[in-house]
Amino acid sequence: MKTILITGGAGFIGSHVVRRFVKKYPEYKIINLDKLTYAGNLANLHDIENSPNYEFIRVDIVDAEVIAGIFNKYRFDGIIHLAAESHVDRSISNPMEFILTNIVGTVNLLNAARTIWENNLANKVFYHISTDEVYGSLGETGYFFETSSYDPRSPYSASKASSDHLVRAYFHTYKLPIIISNCSNNYGPYQFPEKLIPLSINNIRNNNTIPIYGKGENIRDWLYVEDHANAIDLLFHKGRVGETYNIGGNNEWKNIDLIRKLCEIMDQKLGRAEGTSAQLITFVKDRAGHDIRYAINAEKIQKELGWNPSLQFEKGIEKTVEWYLANEEWLENVTSGEYQKYYEKQYIKR
Ligand code: NAD
Ligand code: TYD
């Protein structure tokens, strides 16, 4: 039986990856390490929390000693590292949290992996999950390739870029078996409603304004979260050690067009007259250093592993809206902070 570490498994993408691995690989023991920041929510994993091949440990990856102790105890065979501070706006108001978790935390994991694997690197992998934002901002044309130079422009993307460099450095310097993937914007169930799509769904539902930064002309490439989880599964098992892979939806949207589409769907689902939700759109002050356009060339993973996005955006966004409307209690809990009591109730035995 292999023991696989997934960090950040209580977050948005991490919870999809944990669920997938726990269900699909009963021969793996999945250990989910998560600090449970505001973005970590164990209710995201409610359906699998009692599975015999799953264990949750609350830990801050910035704490090197605790991390070393856990690695020593569990002797992981593979690591999928998703834990991170992930929101650009928060990185603008508080960069230090991003430096600590995304850079120092990643180095702590690299060091701990090096220590336990020192004499036996065969069949091990340290898989680091990163973002397309490390490549910076594109103009109207062009794509990010794995070979594009790094040009991060927000504290978030700069901290992720640093961690990518360090992960690669450990491959070259210490031969640590690493894989990195850089993915475009994800959307889908369990995303914290601070990011554009769930924030807008929640605001429309509550008849609150939808804040669009600047003129809404910035472009993002959107991928359904399950398609990312599928790519992570493939790369973890079949990716080439030392390599970087781009993952993207080939699905570019201007923010304003995406929000108009979302408003149409919300009107239909909520039984509102056409055009009602769009009246909530409000243009607000632009984000500082707002990247204009992201677009991924994902040919490498397509050619090497046959990966392709499975869901058309129109279908994915409709499914996403349906999920949030069917899970209003989840939304209420995360917006009220109620979910933070879940850990105490579920895990602190009195
Ligand atoms: P998220 O913010 O939803 O979840 C992050 C998780 O990490 C949370 O559960 C949080 O509690 C945990 N965490 C934060 N700091 C920690 C610490 N110090 N110690 C232990 N756990 C800690 O993030 P997400 O959107 O699921 O992103 C997951 C990963 O994927 C990140 O590395 C992010 O950079 C990357 N990524 C995200 C996107 C996207 O669109 N969301 C796209 C590409 C890459
Ligand atoms: P976001 O979901 O924060 O992801 P990222 O910044 O990592 O791409 O934002 C997506 C896009 O939406 C980005 O161009 C910023 C914009 N945006 C808004 O216009 N209004 C909002 O309230 C938010 C959160 C984002």
Side-chain angles (χ1 to χ4, degrees):
M1 189 158 186
K2 283 190 170 179
T3 307
I4 310 298
L5 168 65
I6 299 180
T7 70
F12 165 47
I13 302 170
S15 62
H16 288 271
V17 176
V18 166
R19 176 176 297 98
R20 184 185 183 92
F21 273 65
V22 165
K23 287 189 167 172
K24 188 169 165 192
Y25 301 109
E27 70 276 24
Y28 291 171
K29 172 96 187 171
I30 303 298
I31 312 291
N32 173 13
L33 282 196
D34 198 295
K35 178 182 174 182
L36 300 184
T37 65
Y38 77 92
N41 182 357
L42 286 175
N44 297 357
L45 292 167
H46 187 57
D47 53 328
I48 57 101
E49 69 189 3
N50 294 320
S51 305
N53 65 335
Y54 171 72
E55 186 176 333
F56 171 72
I57 305 173
R58 186 175 195 174
V59 72
D60 184 345
I61 58 168
V62 177
D63 190 334
E65 234 174 88
V66 174
I67 289 296
I70 291 172
F71 272 63
N72 195 33
K73 177 174 172 199
Y74 287 89
R75 320 293 304 181
F76 302 113
D77 297 292
I79 295 159
I80 307 178
H81 173 36
L82 296 112
E85 288 290 339
S86 68
H87 190 40
V88 174
D89 295 325
R90 284 181 191 255
S91 82
I92 295 169
S93 40
N94 186 10
M96 191 51 84
E97 279 294 313
F98 288 69
I99 306 311
L100 291 172
T101 289
N102 298 0
I103 307 177
V104 178
T106 300
V107 174
N108 286 339
L109 296 169
L110 289 166
N111 285 338
R114 244 194 99 202
T115 306
I116 61 162
W117 293 345
E118 198 172 18
N119 299 316
N120 183 10
L121 294 173
N123 299 319
K124 304 289 192 292
V125 65
F126 185 111
Y127 177 9
H128 176 63
I129 307 299
S130 194
T131 166
D132 61 352
E133 304 192 25
V134 298
Y135 298 120
S137 181
L138 290 166
E140 277 176 25
T141 57
Y143 292 92
F144 297 135
F145 292 82
E146 287 82 358
T147 48
S148 300
S149 55
Y150 275 31
D151 186 20
R153 293 154 40 99
S154 75
Y156 164 64
S157 54
S159 67
K160 292 295 291 187
S162 296
S163 63
D164 292 10
H165 287 319
L166 285 156
V167 171
R168 230 170 260 125
Y170 273 61
F171 170 68
H172 292 293
T173 309
Y174 307 112
K175 308 278 177 271
L176 195 77
I178 64 101
I179 292 174
I180 298 176
S181 60
N182 298 83
C183 187
S184 63
N185 286 60
N186 285 213
Y187 70 98
Y190 299 112
Q191 188 168 33
F192 194 81
E194 63 183 353
K195 305 277 168 66
L196 180 67
I197 290 178
L199 178 133
S200 302
I201 293 173
N202 193 37
N203 286 14
I204 295 169
R205 184 176 78 93
N206 291 317
N207 267 314
N208 290 330
T209 56
I210 310 166
I212 301 293
Y213 299 160
K215 293 183 179 151
E217 287 184 344
N218 304 66
I219 294 171
R220 297 292 181 266
D221 170 5
W222 294 92
L223 179 69
Y224 192 67
V225 62
E226 276 302 331
D227 281 327
H228 189 189
N230 179 31
I232 290 173
D233 185 351
L234 275 174
L235 286 171
F236 179 72
H237 291 101
K238 297 186 181 152
R240 281 184 295 134
V241 163
E243 293 288 321
T244 290
Y245 295 84
N246 280 353
I247 306 168
N250 200 14
N251 174 45
E252 291 180 50
W253 285 79
K254 261 188 196 167
N255 291 340
I256 186 65
D257 295 339
L258 187 157
I259 292 302
R260 290 224 162 91
K261 177 89 208 155
L262 184 66
C263 286
E264 269 174 39
I265 298 172
M266 290 293 284
D267 282 344
Q268 285 163 17
K269 301 284 173 196
L270 294 171
R272 294 179 181 172
E274 203 181 314
T276 310
S277 300
Q279 287 169 12
L280 297 168
I281 293 174
T282 309
F283 293 95
V284 299
K285 188 167 173 280
D286 209 352
R287 171 187 282 173
H290 196 171
D291 290 340
I292 305 286
R293 173 171 167 257
Y294 303 144
I296 278 275
N297 178 300
E299 273 176 25
K300 183 172 172 180
I301 185 171
Q302 283 161 356
K303 283 194 179 139
E304 279 190 24
L305 298 173
W307 176 88
N308 268 303
S310 69
L311 261 192
Q312 286 299 310
F313 186 68
E314 277 73 6
K315 190 91 208 109
I317 194 75
E318 190 174 347
K319 240 175 113 157
T320 301
V321 167
E322 282 166 1
W323 185 86
Y324 283 95
L325 294 180
N327 289 275
E328 291 191 310
E329 200 187 339
W330 182 91
L331 262 179
E332 294 295 340
N333 282 340
V334 294
T335 42
S336 70
E338 203 41 41
Y339 71 102
Q340 284 169 326
K341 295 187 187 145
Y342 184 87
Y343 173 75
E344 322 252 311
K345 214 173 74 205
Q346 199 63 25
Y347 285 85
I348 310 270
K349 312 278 181 235
R350 286 167 211 281

